[in-house]
Amino acid sequence: MSVFRHYAEAITGAIRAMIAAGELPNLDPIPPITVEPPRDPSHGDLATNAAMVLAKPAGRKPRDLAEALRRRLTAGAGVETIEIAGPGFLNLRLAPAVWDEELRRAIEAGKHYGDSDLGGGRPVNVEYVSANPTGPMHVGHCRGAVLGDALATVLAKVGYRVTREYYINDAGAQVDTLARSLHLRYREALGETIGEIPAGLYPGDYLVPVGRALAGRDRERWVEASETEWLPVCRRFAVDAMMALIRDDLAVLGIRHDTFTSEKEALHESGAIAEAVAELHGRDLVYEGTLEKPKGKEIEDWEPRAQTLFRAKQFGDDTDRPLKKSDGSWTYFAADIAYHRDKFRRGYATMIDVWGADHGGYIKRMKAAVAAVSEGRAELDVKICNLVKLLRAGAPAKMSKRSGDLVTVRDVVDEVGRDVVRLIMLTQKPESPMEFDFVRVTEKSKDNPVFYIQYAHARIRSVMRRVASEVPGVSTDPRDLQGANLARLGHPAERALVRLTLQWPRIVEASADAHEPHRIAYYLHELASAFHALWNQGTEAPELRFLVGEDPELTHARLAMCQGVAAVIASGLAVIGVEPVEEMR
RNA sequence: GCGCCCGUAGCUCAGCUGGAUAGAGCACAGGAUUCCUAAUCCUGGGGUCGUGGGUUCAAAUCCCGCCGGGCGCACCA
């Protein structure tokens, strides 16, 4: 258990004891209190607002309550001083041994530092990417891909049982278009001249080899056949090929999903949609009705029509939503209802969907649907990813493209590398538009967060390699570093670095709770920054250097500190899906 | 017209689910290089947190109204 959770529980325990002793009214539940490191280090190691939060329900003055809480907490182990400050904060200063012990744990855990059982093994489903199987992944997909993957990893790190899921939209008109595009390439492969690809079909070169493959397998069989005959064949063949393509693209990013769900097979052909709608119908959540014409936007062929509608409004949406198209087939939304119902029935009470910004208007109805199919027992969180604007040295990026007008994920990864893409995608909260500058992200300077964080890790590894020659006899084995005399870390800058390093479990938990993996990238940058600052102080103040020839004990303690930093960086990069480097070249 | 997202230093953005004096990088000004890697570092200036109200011991954070920008608005996915 992290230091922070430990003391948070100690404080809650003290509050419960006060309730039991009649010093506080029987509050149920106890209002949420915070236990966090204060911004100002002079306020100690931990601060809690408990007294202020409890003051009103208890009908007592905050400072009186603070005093009572202090008396109960002082008995606790590891607490050195408790001060009451400001309007009623309790500022706890912990014994150095508490931090020393935590640093030892960090060294021991290595990249597993920050792992916890917070999630209690509860299942979470993270659905991300879900690019339509009509071509290779383009850059627009990779932000969501990285976000979803990092989110899944951080949730797993804190003890959830995470499933990474991909929804294959293989049922709509787009895959029919894909099938027709393939048929053209198939005829081309058999020697026909096809000329310009007609508007409305997919022109990308990536279908050329697929056409050849189909021709190789089936020969002339579909040339003279009618479309009703060849369409299903081409569709199946094309979708399989596109999914293979997309899986390769995902592999390039280092992403592997656990489950791929086919809209066509799992929802349409299985009857799951009909079943879901029937169930909702039975609960009077589906009806035949007519929607009002949307205001403010002209729709040419609008006509009032009775439709099969889901009562989304009853669950907080702005209007009820159609489940059937005018030709009688299911809408995409109907399929999505069945899909989320299926997820719920598979045991996921927590679902996370990662979508593009253009789907923002879809969130309310989907949440409404989840509330309906789970009868309020499941929760859906939708993460919206904004656009990535590609730049080269500040100007809009021009590049050779593999397919059509799209810049693919592979184009970008080929140029800058997987690690750069993954980390940069998390250097901004997802709902803001992002600029991705090919020049900036590959610069070897501190302006580039990828480099800056990697460099900190590489510097630590470099120090470790030098020990043998600079301070012979000092071990760099992590097991030995755990035994270092950490009391020798006395400089304020060292203590600050250690303290920041040991924030890591909190950052992981907060990031998982909030479903915000970008916090990890920010924290790593901050940690790297603190490390570099200390390193550079060694330039002017040689006594602050990590390797002190005449003082092996001090050297050992500082190496332990460095090892802790390296462990956290490795742990953090692992969440993001980036390999820490041993040296910069 | 409606819904959602965004609005924080000159620029690009954080801000730990309501806490103490709002942070970082770039840019700007000044300083530092016989250095374990200068592939930089230190110091400093710079803010009505879009705006007006409200909730509270406490608001950048929550609620309401405006302003500006983006996305979306039967039957596409």
Side-chain angles (χ1 to χ4, degrees), chain A residues 138-182:
Chain A
H138 55 83
V139 268
H141 295 121
C142 78
R143 193 170 181 186
V146 172
L147 170 71
D149 206 52
L151 186 49
T153 307
V154 75
L155 287 169
K157 192 173 175 67
V158 299
Y160 290 93
R161 194 161 56 75
V162 180
T163 300
R164 298 152 195 262
E165 184 142 339
Y166 189 116
Y167 183 45
I168 309 172
N169 298 134
D170 53 2
Q174 290 187 18
V175 285
D176 287 347
T177 303
L178 177 74
R180 293 192 185 94
S181 309
L182 170 62

Side-chain angles (χ1 to χ4, degrees), chain A residues 90-169:
Chain A
L90 276 175
N91 292 332
L92 282 70
R93 195 173 301 278
L94 304 181
V98 172
W99 295 116
D100 292 352
E101 205 43 53
E102 182 70 10
L103 180 55
R104 291 193 178 94
R105 274 200 290 275
I107 294 168
E108 184 180 9
K111 70 176 181 181
H112 291 292
Y113 185 49
D115 290 8
S116 71
D117 58 356
L118 192 72
R122 286 186 296 278
V124 177
N125 185 288
V126 185
E127 182 211 322
Y128 58 108
V129 188
S130 299
N132 289 337
T134 55
M137 284 177 68
H138 55 83
V139 268
H141 295 121
C142 78
R143 193 170 181 186
V146 172
L147 170 71
D149 206 52
L151 186 49
T153 307
V154 75
L155 287 169
K157 192 173 175 67
V158 299
Y160 290 93
R161 194 161 56 75
V162 180
T163 300
R164 298 152 195 262
E165 184 142 339
Y166 189 116
Y167 183 45
I168 309 172
N169 298 134

Side-chain angles (χ1 to χ4, degrees), chain A residues 116-276:
Chain A
S116 71
D117 58 356
L118 192 72
R122 286 186 296 278
V124 177
N125 185 288
V126 185
E127 182 211 322
Y128 58 108
V129 188
S130 299
N132 289 337
T134 55
M137 284 177 68
H138 55 83
V139 268
H141 295 121
C142 78
R143 193 170 181 186
V146 172
L147 170 71
D149 206 52
L151 186 49
T153 307
V154 75
L155 287 169
K157 192 173 175 67
V158 299
Y160 290 93
R161 194 161 56 75
V162 180
T163 300
R164 298 152 195 262
E165 184 142 339
Y166 189 116
Y167 183 45
I168 309 172
N169 298 134
D170 53 2
Q174 290 187 18
V175 285
D176 287 347
T177 303
L178 177 74
R180 293 192 185 94
S181 309
L182 170 62
H183 191 254
L184 213 56
R185 294 298 191 183
Y186 157 76
R187 282 158 48 204
E188 183 182 45
L190 290 169
E192 214 171 304
T193 304
I194 58 168
E196 283 279 301
I197 304 291
L201 295 188
Y202 296 109
D205 293 343
Y206 55 85
L207 282 173
V208 173
V210 185
R212 270 201 294 272
L214 181 60
R217 191 190 72 176
D218 293 350
R219 302 295 175 172
E220 277 83 16
R221 188 169 168 194
W222 310 111
V223 174
E224 299 298 331
S226 69
E227 185 178 294
T228 50
E229 286 179 289
W230 59 253
L231 191 76
V233 175
C234 286
R235 188 167 55 205
R236 181 56 191 262
F237 198 85
V239 167
D240 286 349
M242 293 305 101
M243 284 313 298
L245 208 60
I246 288 170
R247 279 178 214 247
D248 283 352
D249 287 346
L250 286 168
V252 161
L253 278 173
I255 292 174
R256 279 186 60 167
H257 289 78
D258 303 306
T259 305
F260 289 79
T261 299
S262 157
E263 179 188 357
K264 188 169 161 42
E265 290 169 21
L267 304 175
H268 288 270
E269 293 173 357
S270 72
I273 303 177
E275 188 185 315

Side-chain angles (χ1 to χ4, degrees), chain A residues 62-85:
Chain A
R63 293 192 72 108
D64 291 352
L65 268 181
E67 187 52 51
L69 265 175
R70 166 156 76 171
R71 279 197 299 273
R72 293 198 175 266
L73 285 168
T74 314
V79 180
E80 209 156 64
T81 62
I82 302 180
E83 287 167 8
I84 298 169

